[in-house]
Amino acid sequence: MPDRGGGPTGPRIRVGRPSRRVRTLLMTLGVLAVLGMVFTMFAGFWTDWLWYRSVNYSSVFTTTLWTKIGLFFVFGLLMALAVGFNIWLAHRMRPPLSAMSMEQQNLDRYRMGIAPYKKWLLLGITSLVGLIAGASASGQWRTWLMWVNGVPFGQKDPQFKLDVSFYAFDLPWYRFLLGFGFAATILSLIAAALTHYLYGGLRITSPGARATAAATGHLSVILGVFVALKAVAYWLDRYGLAVKSSDFKATDNWTGLRYVDANAYLPAKTILFCIAVICALLFFATLWRRTWQLPVIGFGLMVLSAILIGGLYPAIVQKFQVQPNEQAKEAPYVEKNLKATREAYGIDDSQVSEYPGTSRTEDKTRLRDDADAAASIRILDPNIVSPTFQQLQQIRNYYAFPTNLDVDRYSKDGAEQDTVIGLRELNYNGIPKRNWINDHFRYTHGYGVVAAEGTSADAGGRPEFTESDLPSKGDLGTYEQRVYYGERTTTYSIVGGPQKEIDYSDDNGEKTYSYKGDSGVNLANPVNRAAYAVAFSEPQILYSGAIGEGSRILYNRTPKERVEAIAPWLTIDGDAYPAVVDGKIQWIVDAYTTTNGYPYASRTTLGDTTADSLTATNDQRAVVAQQNQVNYIRNSVKATVDAYSGEVKLYQWDTRDPVLKTWMKAFPGTVEAKSEISDSLMAHMRYPQDLFKVQRELLTRYHVKDATTFLSGSEVWQVPDDPTNKTGDAVPPYYLSMKMPDQKEQVFSLTTTFTPNGRDNLSAFMAVNAEPGSQDYGKIRILKLPTSTTVSGPKQVQSQFNSQQDIAETIRLLRGGDSEVEYGNLLAVPLDGGLLYVEPVYVRGGGLKYPLLRKVLVTYGGQTAFEDTLEEAFDKIFGGKGSATEPPPGEDEGTGEDEGTPPPSDNPTVQEALNDAQDAFEAGQEALKKNDWEAYGKAQKDLEDALRRAEEAQQAEGGGGGGGAPEPDASPNA
C-alpha cells in the first residue's frame, strides 16, 4: 500500500503483544483468583454443612438453605421478568424516527452506542435487579415458613374477628408481597420511562405531543398497577390498625385500635380503598381513551382524599370528640388492650392480693420460728462470690469461673437446698505460654464443678463447699468433669489427634488426655482441612503435623451459640446455667418463641426490659431477639447442651404455644416432646429470669384490670434501682426457696419488688413459682401493699442500714486500710404481714483478693440488726432464739450472744483451751472496734494457738466435740 501520509518515512514502532509466557502467567493468575473466590464461598458453605451434620441437625441447615434458594430464585426471577418485560415492551413500542429534533439528535448518539449491545445490556440490567431482589427476598425465609406452616391460635381479635394467626403469620407475608409489588412496579416504571425517552416515545423539549399513544398506554397501565397496589395497601392497613403502635399517655408502646382509629382511620381506609380502585380503573382506561386527563384527575382526588380523609378528619375527631371526654371514649379500647397484653405475655393468671405491710403478731418467739420457715435465706450472693470461688478453687491460672455464678437446687441428707454453682472453665488468658499449639491443641477444656451451700458460710466468711478441689469431689457423686463446652469457650480447639491435651494438674504433675467423644468435625479429610483453613483464616490447619488421624475441630462452643445455630427461630435467655444430671454436666438453656403481631397487645423491647444491674456489667447475660420489639413471648423450649460432648437437645416445654407448633411443622424432628425430659433433669429446670423481667416490667402497669384506673396512671409502679451499687440500673430478680402467705411450704421461687412511680417506698412484692415439679409452676403472685401506709422499699432500707450510727461506724471500721465493703443481694421475704429484708455484707481487704462474708444486715418492723451471722441477727430482731433453734434437753444453751462462743467440755484441758480461745476472740473484737490492728493480730495468733491446743487435747482423748469455736482468719479486717 502506498504511503498516504505525505511525510517522511522512517522506522515504525510496533506495540508488541505480550509474550506467550506473560499471557500464560496472567491467565493462570486469573484462573487461580477465580478458583480462590469460588473455594472461599465453598468453604463457608461446606463448613456449615459439616457442623450441622456433626450435631445431627442437618435438616435445619437444608430446610433453611432450600427456603432461601427458593425465595431467591422465585422473586429474583419475578423482578427480572417484570423489569425486563417492560424494557422490551417499551423498545418494541418505539416510534419511527423521521424528522429529528435537536433533542432526538442528541439522544441518537446514545442509541447508536448501545445498539450493538442491546441484548447484553438488557440481560445485565435484569440480572442486577433480579440479584438484588432475590437477595432481599431470601432474608424473608422466616416470614415464608411461618406463613406456609402457620397454626391457628384459637383466639380472635375483638375488632375484625380474625384468628390471631392472621396477624402473626399471614399479615407479615402479605406486607412483604405488597412491598415487593411496589418495588417491581416502580422499577418497571422507571425502566420503561427511560426506554421510551431514549427511543423517542417520550419527549421533554421537542415540540408537539410529549408522549406517543403507545407510551401513554404503557405507562398508564404501570401506574394503574401501582394505584391498584395502593388500594390493596389501604385494605391491609385496616387490619394493620390492630397491631399498630402509637404514642398514648397510658403507655409508651400502645398497640391496637383507639377511638380515633376505629371511628376515623378505619372508615377512612375503606373510603381510600374505594377511591384507589376507581383511580386504577381510570389509568387502565387510557388503553382505549389515550388521554391522561381522567387518570390525573382521579390520582389528584386520591391524594387530596388521603390528606383530608386520612389525615385531617382523624385529627378533628381526636380534637373535638376524644379529648373533651377521653376516658369515656378510650375505655372500651383500653380494656381490649389490657386483656390482650395480659394474655400475650402470660400474666393474665397473675394473682394480686392485698397485703398489710406490717406485722400484727406480738409473740416474737413465734415470729422467730416463722422467719426460719418463711424462706431459706441465701446469704451467699452468686454475683459477689465469684472471686472467692476463683481464689479458693481456681487451682490453676488457666481455669476461671464466670463473673456471675448460678443458683440451683441439690439434695443433701434427703432435703433440697439452694446451691451456688459454677464450672471451672478454661481461661485462655491464664495459659502460661500463648501460641497456636497451646491455645488450640493442649489447653482445650475446663475441669469440674464447684458448688457451695447458698444459706451458710464458714466461720471465716468463706463458702461452705459441697463440691470442690481438682478433680472435684463432694456431694455430687461421680460424673464426667471435663468441660469442652461452656460460656468462656469462645475459640476453636482441635482434639483427638496426635497432640495430647492437658487434662489437669495435681501434686504428681500434669495429666494428659485425648478427647474420646464424637463431637466436632473430623479433620482427617484434606478437603475438610483446606475448608477450615480458609474459613478460620488459619493456614496451619492445612499443613500442621499436630493434626492427623482422629483429629476433630470443636467450635460454636458456648451454649447460647449452639442453641441459636440449631434453632435460629428461637430467642435465647441471657443466662445459661450448669447442672450435674445423670453423671454428666448439662448446660440448661431457656429459649423463647416471640412475635410482634399479637393484636392489641402492647409491644416491649426485650433488650431494654431484660436489662438490670447485672447485664450492665456482664454482656454475656444480655438477651437479643430476632425481633427487637415483641408483643408475645413464651418460654416454649428448654434446651440442654452437654459440656463434654456438645450434644444439643430441644424439649417442647409449652405444649400449647401455636408459634412453637408452627416452627415444629417447619423443622420437623428438631424438638423432642416434653415427656422425654427425665426426672433428674426436670429437678434442675427453673422459671427463666428474662421472661420474668419482661413480665414484671409489663406488670408495673398491667396489674390493673380496670380501664379507668389504667388511664389515670394512679397505680403505676416501677422496678426499683439496685440499691447495692451505683449503676442506676434495675434490681435483678433473685432466686431463693421461700413461701408466699397462701403457700404451705417453701418452693424455689424468683422474686422482685415494686415501688410507686417516682417514689422509693414499697408498693408490691412479686414472686413466681420457679419449681417445675410443683403443681402451680409459673404462677405469679403479687402482694399489693396499701397506699395509706408507707412501707420501706429497697432503696430506703439500704439508706436506713447506712444511716444508723452503730452500723455506719462498723462499716467504717471494716473499710479501714485498703479494705472494701461489698453489699450482697438485698432479699425481701413476706413474713406475717410485713417484709423481712436480709442483706449479706462482704469485706475484701488486707492481703485478700476476694470477698468474705463478714456481717448480715436484717430489718423487720422498723428494727435493724447488723450481726456476724443470720441467726444472731434474727435473735436480735425477734428478741431471742425461737423454739426451733433451742438446743436439745441436756445440752447447755450457751449465752446465745455469739456463734463463736465455745460449748463447755468435760476435759479440763480442752475447756481451758476453749476459754482461752473465747478470751482471744473477744480481745480481737475489741481491737477491731478500736482499729488497733497490732492488737488484733496478736489476738488472732492467741486464738489460733488456743484452738490448736483444744484440738490436740480432743485428739488425745479419742475425739470429742469442742467444735463451735470460731475459725481464725488471716485477714486483719475480719
Side-chain angles (χ1 to χ4, degrees):
M1 295 290 292
D3 184 6
R4 300 180 184 274
T9 61
R12 288 190 290 178
I13 300 174
R14 295 181 59 190
V15 180
R17 297 175 61 191
S19 66
R20 178 176 296 179
R21 179 179 298 177
V22 174
R23 293 199 304 272
T24 303
L25 177 61
L26 292 176
M27 186 176 297
T28 303
L29 290 176
V31 171
L32 290 176
V34 172
L35 290 176
M37 289 188 292
V38 171
F39 189 78
T40 300
M41 292 186 291
F42 167 78
F45 163 80
W46 185 243
T47 53
D48 285 347
W49 162 249
L50 291 174
W51 187 84
Y52 276 97
R53 192 175 65 174
S54 73
V55 293
N56 298 319
Y57 282 90
S58 55
S59 62
V60 175
F61 178 80
T62 55
T63 299
T64 305
L65 178 66
W66 286 117
T67 302
K68 290 180 178 179
I69 290 175
L71 292 172
F72 177 86
F73 280 105
V74 169
F75 286 94
L77 186 61
L78 286 175
M79 181 66 77
L81 288 174
V83 175
F85 172 76
N86 281 283
I87 292 175
W88 173 83
L89 189 60
H91 178 264
R92 184 179 178 85
M93 292 178 174
R94 68 190 183 278
L97 300 176
S98 51
M100 300 290 290
S101 65
M102 184 62 68
E103 181 182 18
Q104 293 302 314
Q105 289 177 9
N106 292 331
L107 290 174
D108 190 50
R109 291 179 299 168
Y110 298 101
R111 288 193 288 265
M112 293 178 63
I114 65 173
Y117 311 105
K118 285 193 294 187
K119 291 183 179 179
W120 292 107
L121 188 61
L122 177 63
L123 181 63
I125 292 173
T126 55
S127 298
L128 179 62
V129 296
L131 286 172
I132 295 173
S136 176
S138 66
Q140 298 294 323
W141 64 271
R142 291 184 179 87
T143 308
W144 161 260
L145 287 176
M146 293 183 78
W147 177 69
V148 77
N149 296 287
V151 171
F153 276 67
Q155 294 174 291
K156 294 184 178 181
D157 78 282
Q159 181 67 40
F160 301 102
K161 309 303 179 183
L162 296 174
D163 191 89
V164 173
S165 61
F166 171 81
Y167 302 93
F169 306 143
D170 300 343
L171 190 58
W173 178 249
Y174 297 153
R175 281 175 165 169
F176 163 71
L177 292 178
L178 186 64
F180 178 83
F182 275 123
T185 304
I186 292 172
L187 289 175
S188 297
L189 179 64
I190 294 172
L194 288 175
T195 305
H196 281 299
Y197 176 70
L198 183 62
Y199 287 96
L202 290 177
R203 301 180 180 90
I204 297 177
T205 61
S206 301
R210 299 296 184 186
T212 64
T216 300
H218 183 198
L219 296 179
S220 295
V221 170
I222 299 177
L223 286 171
V225 172
F226 178 86
V227 177
L229 289 173
K230 188 61 180 175
V232 176
Y234 282 134
W235 189 256
L236 288 180
D237 284 346
R238 298 170 67 255
Y239 303 110
L241 292 172
V243 289
K244 182 194 74 170
S245 290
S246 60
D247 295 329
F248 189 35
K249 68 178 184 179
T251 179
D252 295 333
N253 293 301
W254 173 273
T255 301
L257 284 83
R258 292 157 51 194
Y259 180 88
V260 70
D261 296 313
N263 295 277
Y265 281 111
L266 187 57
K269 297 292 183 183
T270 305
I271 295 171
L272 289 171
F273 164 76
C274 297
I275 294 174
V277 170
I278 295 171
C279 187
L281 294 175
L282 292 176
F283 273 106
F284 294 141
T286 57
L287 288 173
W288 296 276
R289 293 181 58 86
R290 303 294 184 179
T291 176
W292 290 86
Q293 186 176 6
L294 286 177
V296 169
I297 293 173
F299 188 77
L301 177 62
M302 187 179 74
V303 173
L304 183 63
S305 300
I307 295 172
L308 296 178
I309 302 175
L312 184 59
Y313 174 63
I316 293 173
V317 171
Q318 178 69 25
K319 180 71 174 178
F320 296 102
Q321 291 190 28
V322 177
Q323 288 185 4
N325 192 17
E326 187 173 40
Q327 287 203 357
K329 296 291 187 182
E330 300 287 13
Y333 304 95
V334 171
E335 289 178 358
K336 297 174 184 178
N337 176 270
L338 285 170
K339 184 176 184 296
T341 302
R342 292 171 63 86
E343 290 173 349
Y345 290 95
I347 57 177
D348 49 326
D349 293 329
S350 56
Q351 173 185 309
V352 180
S353 306
E354 298 295 330
Y355 193 68
T358 55
S359 173
R360 299 187 178 92
T361 300
E362 299 293 338
D363 186 354
K364 291 195 172 183
T365 302
R366 177 190 160 191
L367 280 176
R368 178 67 170 84
D369 293 339
D370 290 346
D372 289 329
S376 298
I377 302 294
R378 180 174 43 73
I379 58 174
L380 199 66
D381 187 349
N383 307 310
I384 294 288
V385 298
S386 179
T388 308
F389 274 52
Q390 186 84 357
Q391 188 71 19
L392 301 179
Q393 290 296 320
Q394 179 187 22
I395 312 298
R396 295 290 183 269
N397 286 337
Y398 48 81
Y399 294 131
F401 293 92
T403 304
N404 305 106
L405 303 176
D406 290 291
V407 179
D408 202 349
R409 297 91 68 213
Y410 286 89
S411 296
K412 185 174 183 179
D413 300 328
E416 277 197 352
Q417 64 177 9
D418 293 354
T419 302
V420 176
I421 186 172
L423 298 190
R424 193 184 286 111
E425 294 191 50
L426 189 62
N427 175 27
Y428 290 96
N429 294 326
I431 295 176
K433 186 178 181 181
R434 300 294 301 273
N435 55 54
W436 189 65
I437 293 295
N438 279 346
D439 287 356
H440 301 290
F441 289 82
R442 288 181 56 75
Y443 294 92
T444 60
H445 59 277
Y447 207 99
V449 172
V450 176
E453 293 182 9
T455 56
S456 63
D458 68 13
R462 304 177 186 86
E464 291 191 346
F465 292 107
T466 57
E467 186 81 7
S468 58
D469 299 335
L470 183 66
S472 296
K473 54 184 178 291
D475 296 344
L476 301 184
T478 303
Y479 58 96
E480 174 55 67
Q481 299 198 16
R482 298 174 181 89
V483 181
Y484 282 89
Y485 295 88
E487 292 180 307
R488 300 180 66 95
T489 48
T490 55
T491 189
Y492 69 91
S493 289
I494 299 176
V495 298
Q499 180 66 58
K500 292 292 186 180
E501 311 161 41
I502 292 178
D503 203 23
Y504 65 89
S505 301
D506 58 16
D507 295 337
N508 298 320
E510 288 183 350
K511 307 291 184 182
T512 59
Y513 180 75
S514 184
Y515 184 68
K516 296 179 174 59
D518 57 0
S519 183
V521 178
N522 193 339
L523 291 180
N525 186 328
V527 176
N528 292 357
R529 293 178 65 171
Y532 279 101
V534 172
F536 288 1
S537 301
E538 183 50 72
Q540 293 187 78
I541 294 177
L542 185 60
Y543 56 78
S544 174
I547 301 176
E549 190 65 31
S551 292
R552 310 182 72 85
I553 185 168
L554 313 181
Y555 61 104
N556 286 348
R557 297 171 69 188
T558 69
K560 288 179 65 175
E561 282 179 331
R562 295 182 79 77
V563 177
E564 282 175 337
I566 285 169
W569 35 273
L570 290 173
T571 298
I572 310 302
D573 189 271
D575 183 29
Y577 61 98
V580 178
V581 180
D582 298 329
K584 299 177 181 178
I585 301 174
Q586 297 280 357
W587 288 98
I588 300 176
V589 183
D590 286 287
Y592 309 109
T593 50
T594 62
T595 180
N596 66 351
Y598 198 99
Y600 273 100
S602 291
R603 289 184 171 89
T604 186
T605 304
L606 290 186
D608 294 337
T609 53
T610 59
D612 57 27
S613 61
L614 298 184
T615 61
T617 57
N618 185 359
D619 57 3
Q620 287 184 338
R621 283 182 175 254
V623 60
V624 180
Q626 298 291 349
Q627 297 169 321
N628 193 32
Q629 279 203 329
V630 304
N631 66 354
Y632 173 92
I633 186 170
R634 290 290 186 272
N635 177 214
S636 296
V637 173
K638 299 281 190 180
T640 61
V641 179
D642 192 295
Y644 180 80
S645 68
E647 181 184 21
V648 181
K649 289 187 177 181
L650 307 177
Y651 297 101
Q652 182 182 13
W653 187 251
D654 189 334
T655 56
R656 297 178 298 175
D657 177 29
V659 181
L660 177 60
K661 291 179 180 178
T662 296
W663 287 117
M664 290 175 68
K665 281 182 64 179
F667 296 96
T670 56
V671 181
E672 299 184 29
K674 186 176 183 179
S675 58
E676 295 298 316
I677 301 176
S678 65
D679 292 340
S680 54
L681 177 59
M682 183 70 77
H684 295 282
M685 297 292 186
R686 68 187 191 187
Y687 200 83
Q689 291 187 65
D690 285 333
L691 176 60
F692 184 78
K693 286 188 280 189
V694 170
Q695 290 173 327
R696 75 172 179 178
E697 183 64 33
L698 268 296
L699 282 166
T700 58
R701 291 180 179 272
Y702 286 90
H703 62 278
V704 301
K705 299 180 181 179
D706 176 68
T708 303
T709 306
F710 185 83
L711 284 168
S712 70
S714 61
E715 289 290 331
V716 175
W717 300 337
Q718 65 182 13
V719 179
D721 294 339
D722 191 344
T724 65
N725 58 55
K726 298 180 180 179
T727 63
D729 296 291
V731 62
Y734 295 123
Y735 287 107
L736 77 157
S737 294
M738 57 157 291
K739 65 177 182 178
M740 294 290 275
D742 64 331
Q743 293 177 308
K744 295 182 180 179
E745 58 184 16
Q746 295 181 17
V747 295
F748 194 61
S749 304
L750 191 53
T751 67
T752 193
T753 52
F754 294 108
T755 58
N757 193 27
R759 298 173 59 194
D760 293 325
N761 57 289
L762 196 68
S763 57
F765 175 85
M766 171 179 166
V768 63
N769 186 332
E771 194 163 334
S774 59
Q775 185 175 2
D776 57 355
Y777 166 79
K779 183 174 183 178
I780 296 174
R781 293 176 170 87
I782 299 175
L783 304 180
K784 183 177 179 294
L785 280 74
T787 56
S788 57
T789 59
T790 301
V791 180
S792 296
K795 188 175 181 179
Q796 292 175 327
V797 169
Q798 188 69 48
S799 179
Q800 291 170 13
F801 285 158
N802 297 335
S803 61
Q804 290 198 16
Q805 185 174 356
D806 55 341
I807 295 177
E809 179 63 20
T810 305
I811 294 292
R812 189 186 68 80
L813 291 174
L814 292 174
R815 284 177 173 155
D818 60 352
S819 299
E820 297 179 6
V821 171
E822 298 182 31
Y823 294 101
N825 39 218
L826 180 57
L827 302 176
V829 177
L831 176 64
D832 193 55
L835 267 296
L836 174 70
Y837 286 97
V838 179
E839 182 179 64
V841 178
Y842 295 82
V843 175
R844 186 201 302 247
L848 298 177
K849 300 178 181 178
Y850 56 94
L852 296 175
L853 179 65
R854 288 304 182 213
K855 294 285 184 178
V856 179
L857 283 162
V858 175
T859 185
Y860 181 76
Q863 294 187 336
T864 301
F866 185 51
E867 302 299 325
D868 293 340
T869 66
L870 179 63
E871 288 75 17
E872 291 175 0
F874 277 177
D875 291 344
K876 183 175 180 179
I877 289 289
F878 301 113
K881 294 182 179 295
S883 59
T885 60
E886 294 179 1
E891 292 188 12
D892 197 316
E893 295 183 7
T895 64
E897 296 176 355
D898 200 301
E899 190 184 43
T901 304
S905 171
D906 294 335
N907 187 322
T909 305
V910 173
Q911 186 59 49
E912 180 181 0
L914 291 177
N915 291 337
D916 292 342
Q918 180 64 27
D919 293 340
F921 179 78
E922 293 174 355
Q925 295 300 305
E926 288 297 321
L928 181 63
K929 292 178 181 179
K930 297 176 181 178
N931 213 12
D932 187 346
W933 303 116
E934 182 178 354
Y936 183 83
K938 181 178 182 302
Q940 289 296 96
K941 184 177 181 182
D942 293 342
L943 174 60
E944 185 177 358
D945 178 67
L947 291 175
R948 186 177 64 254
R949 286 189 285 111
E951 183 179 3
E952 291 173 351
Q954 287 177 333
Q955 292 175 350
E957 69 170 352
E967 180 180 333
D969 195 302
S971 170
N973 298 310

